[in-house]
Amino acid sequence: SVKARRFHRAQGRGVRMECTMTATISLATRSGLVLSVRPATEADEPALAAFFDAVSDEDRRFRFLSASQHVSHAQLEPLIHADHFRSESFLAFNPDGELVGSALLACDSRLDTAEIAVSIRADCKGKGIGWALLDFLGQEAEKRGVRRVISIESRDNHATIELEREKGFVPEPFDGDPTLVVLSRTTR
């Protein structure tokens, strides 16, 4: 997918740096739900596979920009092997310890632009999890000194495009693919 290719290009360039976040943090949503958020590890692959099976078919297609009933090992690989600075995959758990959200931050080699992606379990939508994770990814990008945050979306993903616009993202064309749109926000 386009997102996976961009993520892989962002991985592994330059000096390896450590993540500013290594422990679990609490993140409150606008609905009052308190999430536990932490970086993903290799041991999370089965939980991530099950999580993406619980994401709606449409949302899974929007996240990976391809239609499939299940997420493959190759699609999960960048989520469980981030470099913990230029790229990071975060997992959000509800108070019962269930994985309810996945959030990806993938910076370019100069730490100028970071691509973000968020997925929410289908039965957990409408609780402010997406809003909270979007804000969290923006803060993580700022900690790294990133100037611009982008999200690549299918033009059919109206709900996410609207959410990102409400969060200050500005739409622009995606060069070479009229079915996609880039939403960007300047952080500094």
Side-chain angles (χ1 to χ4, degrees), residues 21 24-38 90-95 100 103 127-137 139-140:
M21 183 184 134
T24 301
I25 60 129
S26 293
L27 183 65
T29 69
R30 63 185 181 167
S31 69
L33 178 66
V34 178
L35 304 170
S36 295
V37 177
R38 66 167 174 79
F90 296 101
L91 304 180
F93 299 87
N94 68 13
V100 296
K127 298 179 180 180
I129 298 170
W131 278 73
L133 289 175
L134 193 60
D135 285 343
F136 174 74
L137 288 175
Q139 292 164 4
E140 287 295 312

Side-chain angles (χ1 to χ4, degrees), residues 54-188:
V55 169
S56 74
D57 292 343
E58 183 177 57
D59 285 347
R60 193 170 42 256
R61 178 175 62 87
F62 289 149
R63 171 74 182 260
F64 294 98
L65 299 177
S66 65
S68 65
Q69 289 184 336
H70 303 286
V71 176
S72 70
H73 170 73
Q75 290 170 308
L76 292 174
E77 186 71 20
L79 302 180
I80 59 172
H81 289 116
D83 75 7
H84 305 296
F85 191 78
R86 284 189 175 79
S87 63
E88 188 63 83
S89 173
F90 296 101
L91 304 180
F93 299 87
N94 68 13
D96 295 327
E98 299 170 322
L99 180 56
V100 296
S102 168
L104 177 68
L105 176 72
C107 304
D108 64 12
S109 62
R110 296 182 330 229
L111 294 174
D112 180 65
T113 300
E115 182 178 347
I116 59 171
V118 173
S119 294
I120 307 301
R121 204 172 73 190
D123 63 333
C124 296
K125 293 183 89 168
K127 298 179 180 180
I129 298 170
W131 278 73
L133 289 175
L134 193 60
D135 285 343
F136 174 74
L137 288 175
Q139 292 164 4
E140 287 295 312
E142 287 180 35
K143 286 180 189 176
R144 290 161 172 79
V146 170
R147 178 188 62 83
R148 181 174 171 245
V149 176
I150 65 167
S151 178
I152 300 171
E153 302 295 346
S154 165
R155 288 188 182 273
D156 295 334
N157 195 352
H158 302 290
T160 298
I161 291 169
E162 183 59 31
L163 169 95
E164 291 170 351
R165 288 181 74 150
E166 288 176 24
K167 289 290 189 178
F169 285 74
V170 177
E172 56 191 69
F174 183 90
D175 289 337
D177 191 339
T179 67
L180 301 176
V181 62
V182 174
L183 289 107
S184 66
R185 184 178 79 195
T186 303
T187 60
R188 53 181 158 109

